[in-house]
């Protein structure tokens, strides 16, 4: 399946995703193609809406201590529900749909998650650190929320100005 990353300010990114009900080979094709485009774009997390599929699907492949992203670390998360959250942490986040921009974002430090895997089996996960941040970033995508929405009014204005400028320069090349 050929996929393309949808970039801000495309309105597609504001769509709310719907639950997956059928766990078939079409879903597996989408998950496999999401993995390919995420890895070839140097990403560590991707939600299906970022490739124009408004389904409650996200994948994560966080780097290990050596900065490697072995496929064994891949987590496929379908129909996630955050059931508990606690603490506070700040991390400089980036997003494949907002290329070239990284901003400090405040999130919950720890969470518990219930989700389904590619076969529809229900799983639970306790997350903290980068995994917890990445899950919150991607779960936000399923509601049409981007990390830049969490910036203060002045940071957001600065971002919009710089992003527009960067886009114009990109078009000129
Ligand atoms: C912590 C915070 C946020 C996440 C969400 C997943 N984010 C990413 O995977 C972002 C990747 C990214 C990659 C980029 O491309 C390159 O570095 C080549 C990029 O573009 C540029 O910097 C030009 C932007 C973001 C998970 C965990
Ligand atoms: Co993102």
């Amino acid at each position: 399946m050929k996929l393309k990353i949808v970039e801000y300010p495309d309105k597609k990114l504001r769509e709310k995703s719907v639950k997956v009900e059928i766990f078939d080979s079409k879903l597996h094709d989408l998950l496999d193609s999401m993995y390919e485009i995420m890895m070839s774009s140097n990403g560590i997390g991707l939600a299906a809406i970022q490739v124009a599929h408004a389904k409650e699907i996200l994948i994560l492949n966080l780097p290990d201590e050596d900065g490697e992203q072995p496929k064994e670390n891949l987590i496929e998360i379908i129909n996630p529900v955050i059931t508990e959250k606690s603490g506070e942490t700040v991390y400089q986040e980036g997003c494949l749909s907002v290329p070239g921009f990284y901003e400090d974002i405040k999130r919950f430090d720890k969470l518990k998650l219930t989700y389904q895997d590619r076969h529809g089996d229900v799983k639970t996960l306790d997350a903290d650190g980068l995994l917890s941040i990445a899950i919150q970033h991607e779960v936000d995508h399923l509601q049409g929320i981007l990390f830049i929405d969490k910036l203060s009014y002045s940071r957001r204005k600065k971002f919009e100005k710089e992003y527009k400028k960067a886009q114009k320069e990109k078009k000129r090349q």
Side-chain angles (χ1 to χ4, degrees):
M1 194 185 294
K2 187 82 192 122
L3 298 176
K4 196 172 161 277
I5 304 271
V6 178
E7 290 187 5
Y8 182 79
D10 194 315
K11 287 203 162 51
K12 187 82 191 166
L13 291 168
R14 298 309 187 177
E15 263 181 47
K16 286 193 182 10
S17 296
V18 299
K19 286 211 181 307
V20 173
E21 284 173 2
I22 301 167
F23 294 80
D24 60 359
S25 62
K26 256 179 86 177
L27 171 69
H28 298 173
D29 280 354
L30 175 58
L31 284 163
D32 294 343
S33 301
M34 283 175 64
Y35 174 76
E36 292 307 323
I37 195 164
M38 179 180 75
M39 295 308 287
S40 65
S41 311
N42 291 322
I44 60 175
L46 187 72
I49 195 63
Q50 294 180 268
V51 290
H53 288 254
K55 298 273 180 187
E56 290 191 13
I57 299 169
L58 58 98
I59 60 169
L60 300 166
N61 199 6
L62 303 185
D64 61 21
E65 321 77 65
D66 308 314
E68 304 293 326
Q69 290 173 274
K71 197 165 183 186
E72 305 90 80
N73 290 357
L74 174 66
I75 311 177
E76 296 174 337
I77 294 176
I78 298 159
N79 301 335
V81 179
I82 296 173
T83 55
E84 282 178 42
K85 48 202 179 183
S86 62
E88 206 177 278
T89 187
V90 175
Y91 189 82
Q92 196 171 52
E93 299 188 15
C95 178
L96 286 173
S97 294
V98 190
F101 280 83
Y102 297 86
E103 295 281 354
D104 278 352
I105 303 293
K106 192 161 80 180
R107 303 265 186 200
F108 294 104
D109 183 32
K110 292 182 181 175
L111 60 81
K112 280 186 199 291
L113 185 79
T114 301
Y115 66 99
Q116 285 168 283
D117 68 10
R118 64 161 61 204
H119 307 292
D121 294 332
V122 177
K123 309 264 177 187
T124 56
L125 176 66
D126 283 321
D128 61 9
L130 188 60
L131 179 58
S132 166
I133 294 163
I135 289 170
Q136 291 171 73
H137 177 111
E138 302 306 341
V139 167
D140 272 353
H141 274 297
L142 308 184
Q143 294 300 314
I145 298 167
L146 300 173
F147 76 109
I148 50 169
D149 300 338
K150 298 184 180 287
L151 297 174
S152 66
Y153 179 77
S154 60
R155 288 298 302 152
R156 179 62 180 263
K157 276 197 85 164
K158 190 165 178 275
F159 160 78
E160 293 293 348
K161 202 171 156 194
E162 288 173 3
Y163 192 77
K164 265 186 203 134
K165 193 171 167 222
Q167 275 192 319
K168 267 190 194 161
E169 273 162 22
K170 219 160 131 183
K171 266 188 199 152
R172 250 191 264 128
Q173 284 162 13

